[in-house]
Amino acid sequence: KIQMLAMIILTLTETPVFFALIIALFMRNNLSAFLTLAQGIKMLGVGFLMGLVAVGPCIGQILFAEQSCLAVGVNRKAYNKLFTFSVLTEALIETPILLAFVLAVFILIKDFSLSPLLSFAVFLSSSLVASIGALGAGFGLGYIGGQSAQKIASNPEQYPAILQTSILSSIFVETTNIFCFFVAVLILINASKI
């Protein structure tokens, strides 16, 4: 049971790679010999964004996977509850990556008419804001999920209350990521008006 749970959780951990591959293929198809310096900086910013945003959720998923698998070892009878909880928690931990993917697509399809120096400032700052939000959210969501998995293993009869508390806590943690996402979008929207 632990092996099955670990395989599913670790498969979900590959999501950042999948989204990064889609962005990389899109970038590759849009490269040309006539790329301006500002366009190159935009591409660099998108790569920087996808790479940094993946760090927090990946570490959060690893923290959660460890605790979830340990919880199954503690109480194998709680496996079905832990399995459902694990898939739900992994999906919550993935949300920073989904938001970064949307932001990367926005940057790639939007035509910015910026100088190279302004391009560097805009794309670096928006990438950093989104990445810092994802880093904190990824760690926090992984920690909350891991602690909740341990509580489910020790008190399976309290599963509904633990699930509810965990989701509510995760929503509060996720707001940091969402606020950072909106700040990054505002930076990009204001830059496009220049």
Side-chain angles (χ1 to χ4, degrees):
K1 289 183 177 182
I2 294 171
Q3 185 179 20
M4 173 69 94
L5 183 64
M7 287 175 53
I8 290 170
I9 290 173
L10 293 175
T11 300
L12 292 171
T13 306
E14 296 296 325
T15 305
V17 176
F18 176 73
F19 284 118
L21 175 65
I22 292 170
I23 293 298
L25 290 173
F26 185 84
M27 290 169 58
R28 183 178 179 272
N29 289 337
N30 290 312
L31 287 178
S32 72
F34 304 105
L35 197 66
T36 66
L37 181 58
Q39 291 168 331
I41 292 170
K42 178 170 96 167
M43 297 278 193
L44 181 66
V46 169
F48 189 67
L49 169 70
M50 292 305 292
L52 278 181
V53 163
V55 172
C58 283
I59 293 173
Q61 287 173 334
I62 291 166
L63 293 171
F64 171 70
E66 175 190 25
Q67 293 301 313
S68 184
C69 290
L70 285 172
V72 171
V74 168
N75 186 353
R76 290 190 177 123
K77 293 178 182 176
Y79 175 77
N80 290 336
K81 292 174 182 172
L82 285 165
F83 181 83
T84 304
F85 177 76
S86 295
V87 172
L88 179 62
T89 301
E90 286 286 325
L92 286 170
I93 296 172
E94 293 286 341
T95 54
I97 295 160
L98 295 172
L99 291 175
F101 179 75
V102 169
L103 191 62
V105 169
F106 175 73
I107 292 170
L108 288 172
I109 63 173
K110 179 81 173 132
D111 186 30
F112 294 91
S113 300
L114 303 172
S115 69
L117 183 59
L118 192 55
S119 291
F120 182 76
V122 166
F123 300 125
L124 179 66
S125 63
S126 63
S127 295
L128 280 175
V129 166
S131 300
I132 290 169
L135 185 66
F139 276 111
L141 293 168
Y143 180 78
I144 290 168
Q147 294 302 309
S148 298
Q150 290 297 318
K151 296 297 180 193
I152 292 168
S154 60
N155 299 307
E157 66 281 351
Q158 295 293 321
Y159 176 71
I162 296 168
L163 176 65
Q164 212 171 31
T165 304
S166 179
I167 290 174
L168 185 61
S169 301
S170 295
I171 289 169
F172 286 125
V173 169
E174 196 67 63
T175 58
T176 304
N177 181 49
I178 293 168
F179 287 140
C180 289
F181 171 77
F182 282 124
V183 168
V185 169
L186 288 173
I187 290 169
L188 293 166
I189 289 172
N190 286 326
S192 67
K193 293 179 182 177
I194 297 175

